[in-house]
Amino acid sequence: MKKMLFIILKTLGILVGIIVVYIALGYFLPFIEVAAKDDGEKKEIPIYIYTNGVHTDIVMPIKNELHDWSSEIPFNNTKSKKSDYRYVGIGWGDKGFYLDTPTWADLKFSTAFKAAFWLSESAMHCTYYREMREGEDCKMIMISKNQYLQLVKFVDNKFDKDPDGKNILIPTKAVYGDNDAFYDAKGRYSFLDTCNTWANNALKAAGQKAALWTPTDYGIFLHYQK
């Protein structure tokens, strides 16, 4: 009985220790900034980082001379099917959170557990916008054409593709509005690789300043405070 109690207490101690270390790293590591890399080219393309308070999206022009997102993420896949949008916000995350947890009140232990420990699939959430307004939740970043191409490559590579090389739409009514859609994605979400970790890595791929590592949107936005 004593041996069993010792094992239980030891296990609980290890779990608590892991949680404490994770919280500490999640708080302190984001303050270590990865500096932007200036490629010497004119910064002429606007992109945005946008958060809903939990999740960070990378927002890009729908179409320019370098890339046309509407050919890969069709307007017709949204409820509105309207085509007068100017920007598209893309985020990567856990499929269960996206589709089964519209609010925190709907969060199930099974969903959270699977998401934390690489046990569920991931998805891309794509949202169209007519305009972007800077604020505490939205920051504009000007980047060069070459940096934009690197960003597009990073984002596009996260989409799962069908045999024809097209993005795979997830048929669902669990969209957030009439201007968004979900697609299958590569990779497994976890407490070490979150939606915000992915967005932070997207900024690194584009040569922009970012946190060394962050699981939260705060870790990204603290480097873009004016």
Side-chain angles (χ1 to χ4, degrees), residues 33-44:
E33 181 174 296
V34 175
K37 298 178 181 178
D38 189 353
D39 60 2
E41 295 184 8
K42 182 180 179 181
K43 307 302 183 284
E44 54 189 310

Side-chain angles (χ1 to χ4, degrees), residues 55 71 117 175:
H55 177 99
S71 66
F117 296 103
V175 291

Side-chain angles (χ1 to χ4, degrees), residues 191-206:
F191 68 97
L192 293 176
D193 191 12
T194 72
C195 53
N196 296 301
T197 307
W198 176 83
N200 188 64
N201 289 337
L203 292 172
K204 292 179 183 178

Side-chain angles (χ1 to χ4, degrees), residues 94 97 111-120 189-192:
D94 179 75
F97 265 113
T111 300
F113 184 84
K114 289 178 181 179
F117 296 103
W118 299 275
L119 297 176
S120 63
Y189 186 99
S190 74
F191 68 97
L192 293 176

Side-chain angles (χ1 to χ4, degrees), residues 211-222:
L212 179 64
W213 174 80
T214 181
T216 67
D217 59 342
Y218 172 76
I220 296 174
F221 278 78
L222 70 85

Side-chain angles (χ1 to χ4, degrees), residues 46-50 57-61 87-90 129 132 151:
I47 66 167
Y48 298 81
I49 48 174
Y50 172 73
D57 281 352
I58 301 295
V59 184
M60 297 165 284
Y87 302 95
V88 61
I90 302 178
Y129 301 99
M132 300 301 298
L151 177 62

Side-chain angles (χ1 to χ4, degrees), residues 100-129:
D100 303 326
T101 313
T103 68
W104 287 113
D106 298 300
L107 179 62
K108 299 177 181 178
F109 174 79
S110 58
T111 300
F113 184 84
K114 289 178 181 179
F117 296 103
W118 299 275
L119 297 176
S120 63
E121 297 178 342
S122 59
M124 305 297 283
H125 183 219
C126 304
T127 309
Y128 284 115
Y129 301 99

Side-chain angles (χ1 to χ4, degrees), residues 52-114:
N52 63 1
V54 177
H55 177 99
T56 304
D57 281 352
I58 301 295
V59 184
M60 297 165 284
I62 287 177
K63 184 178 181 179
N64 59 23
E65 62 185 276
L66 301 175
H67 195 75
D68 181 5
W69 283 109
S70 65
S71 66
E72 300 175 14
I73 310 169
F75 296 116
N76 283 337
N77 286 342
T78 65
K79 280 185 178 181
S80 74
K81 302 186 185 304
K82 294 180 179 179
S83 59
D84 59 342
Y85 300 108
R86 298 174 57 205
Y87 302 95
V88 61
I90 302 178
W92 173 86
D94 179 75
K95 196 172 185 178
F97 265 113
Y98 272 144
L99 303 182
D100 303 326
T101 313
T103 68
W104 287 113
D106 298 300
L107 179 62
K108 299 177 181 178
F109 174 79
S110 58
T111 300
F113 184 84
K114 289 178 181 179

